[in-house]
Amino acid sequence: GGSFLEGIDQFEQSFIVGQYECDCNGRMKAGALLSQTQAISTNHCNAIGWTIELYRRTHTVFLLAKTSLEVYGEIRVGDHIRMVTHPSRPNRAIYNRYTSFYNEQGEEVAAQDSKWVMVDTETHKLLREPPAEMEVPFHLDATKEHDFSIPKVRDVQQTATERVTYSRTDDNGHLNNTHYADIILDNLPFSATVDRRMKKLVINYHNEAKMGEELAVFTKEFEEEQQLKYYVSGKLPSGKTCFESLAVFE
């Protein structure tokens, strides 16, 4: 369940890590962490009256522009995790939301920072101001922010294609933002994903991928500051870039 704390600027919810959310090492997968932040964000918005009916009536939608997930500790099957989410007021049409994951000892084991934009579903234009009946209740500025930078890399090779299948899409028929994490990590060698621990994942969402489309996936491995890093991007059939990402392993 969710609970209001300090009204609108903070919301929290707890969950127990399920087997289905974990990988072969029993660690919670990046995509599962992002699914939990997606759920708490939706529940928080519903709690303040920003429901799917309101979005439909005002023909608006929130689209995720960028996300950064940082993992600080172990999150394993059966763990009791408390999530605390902090939305902040819009800054030039960008809405920030910071969500922290705490274990039973009260240690922050992961955090997700995200940047959202509001779009008019009829004109597909960015809305600098929300519609009149969507008064933005968040009034705090973002206090913590992640580094969202993704390095420019050369000689990126296409390594795979990924199809936007039925089970990967959300209620608007687009590739769900949490599935990008699975696609990115599925296209990396096991020597990174299985043998090491992921410390950070940054995803930059450029253009939406629709159900049935094929994505060309490009990857490049590099080392920096004694860390193993991967650049992964996806291209749409139109030639446009769908996403770019950076995955960092210890």
Side-chain angles (χ1 to χ4, degrees), residues 41-114:
S41 306
T42 304
N43 292 348
H44 189 193
C45 287
N46 283 335
I48 61 165
W50 283 14
T51 59
I52 199 154
E53 292 77 36
L54 179 63
Y55 295 128
R56 288 201 175 126
R57 198 165 64 240
T58 55
H59 49 88
T60 54
V61 68
F62 270 112
L63 294 182
L64 188 55
K66 290 179 181 184
T67 191
S68 162
L69 176 67
E70 293 182 356
V71 181
Y72 312 123
E74 292 281 337
I75 306 175
R76 295 193 163 274
V77 64
D79 284 356
H80 288 244
I81 300 292
R82 184 172 70 97
M83 301 167 74
V84 182
T85 190
H86 292 270
S88 35
R89 66 173 163 206
N91 176 12
R92 295 203 305 275
I94 304 275
Y95 293 74
N96 245 73
R97 184 181 276 276
Y98 198 97
T99 306
S100 295
F101 294 77
Y102 297 96
N103 64 15
E104 283 180 276
Q105 290 72 48
E107 300 159 333
E108 189 179 26
V109 280
Q112 187 231 20
D113 193 4
S114 53

